[in-house]
Amino acid sequence: MDIADIATREFVEVDAGKRLGKVRSIFERENPKGIIVTKDGAYAGVITQKQLVQSHVEDNAKAGAMTSSAPKVARTDDVREVARVLVEGGTKIAPVFEGDELWGIVTEDDILAAVLENLDALTVDQIYTDDVVTVAEDTNVGQVINLLREHGISRLPVLDEQDGLTGMVTRHDVVDVVVRDMNKATTGDRSGEIQRILDIPVYDVMSSPVETVTLDASVRDAVARMLENDFAGLVVTPKDDDTAVEGILTKTDVLRALTFTEEDHMDVQITNIKLLDTISRADLRSDIGEVADKYQAMQVQHAHVRFHEHKEKLRGTPLIQCQIRLRTNKGQAAGSGEGYGAEMAFNVALDKLERNVLELKGVQADEEYRGQVLRKLGEL
């Protein structure tokens, strides 16, 4: 299926010279996945809701100041490849081009709606994210913003010590409640209100009750609910307890599942792929595969490589942090490291991952030996 079959020519567009305050009002009023920015009538980039959370640019600034590049796709590109582009680009929208001309846009919702009927064969437990970040009801909004930025995520389940899952706070909640007020509260009598806004407990801004889905539910049903209600994700719970958090299922998880093919022996997600410099996506998959192969009993179900850029630089090369996490049939293994440039950071993280994989192999071998000994004792 070509992306032209599902892309749309209707999208929100603003000129690079438009005041950022106007752009923020568009997000608050229409809640688009992203806004296309043009300059002199030509495509210049996009502005996403995620950028609003991560920026304190004043309302009087121009839209061009916050414009970022988004992965471009062609009308003839395959849906599976476009899904991969959205996942690796960390975006929910991509401009669609016909030659050098902007033809339209495609969003994650467009893709999911088009493949909905094909998702019935998958169950939530096959693709959900089990490494979920949660917060308590008394966590303040400032801490929420930091967690959203640090982990590059869009939502946080809220837990009560006694009652378990009680709410959900999303990036949209933060934009709606915080960003607008923080940009107003900068001067004069309102200048002291910034700290009060950041100190608001998440309980006051979260959504409740929370939409949940069980591990055995079909991905089709879960996605249909997300599309119908404009949810970006659902909290995953056990079948018999909707207050216990097992993980989270997001539209990105589903898109990632669409990118898997029989030729792709390992599903690799890369966060901040734009930081790759002297190393390619294929190199990452190959190197991780070599580590996994050292433990033949380990079947890697999903690999996540996350890069984060620090402000520190050495001769122009930024200090990068890399985290590698493997989900396997033998449990989880991870490694992290830092270095100047993505390749150096990845190699440090890969070395630590290899040590942890071999340690996991040793633990497994010890357990097998222990079982053999116990069986022998039982035969005596």
Side-chain angles (χ1 to χ4, degrees), residues 116 119-120 122 213 217-226 234:
L116 185 61
L119 300 176
D120 209 33
L122 289 172
V213 65
S218 78
V219 173
R220 181 198 179 284
D221 291 344
V223 171
R225 287 172 56 197
M226 285 192 270
L234 301 171

Side-chain angles (χ1 to χ4, degrees), residues 114-125:
V115 302
L116 185 61
E117 298 306 319
N118 299 323
L119 300 176
D120 209 33
L122 289 172
T123 53
V124 170
D125 67 298

Side-chain angles (χ1 to χ4, degrees), residues 287-353:
D287 290 346
I288 294 174
E290 289 181 8
V291 170
D293 288 344
K294 293 185 178 181
Y295 184 9
Q296 295 296 331
M298 175 183 288
Q299 298 174 8
V300 178
Q301 298 160 344
H302 175 61
H304 187 183
V305 182
R306 183 192 300 274
F307 292 100
H308 174 71
E309 182 178 3
H310 295 294
K311 293 182 179 180
E312 181 182 342
K313 291 186 178 182
L314 178 64
R315 291 190 290 273
T317 302
L319 179 64
I320 303 290
Q321 180 190 47
C322 177
Q323 297 174 321
I324 310 173
R325 184 180 297 275
L326 304 184
R327 185 195 302 167
T328 79
N329 62 328
K330 297 295 182 180
Q332 292 198 25
S336 63
E338 291 186 344
Y340 290 98
E343 183 173 7
M344 179 183 293
F346 174 74
N347 287 334
V348 174
L350 188 70
D351 181 62
K352 292 185 179 179
L353 174 68

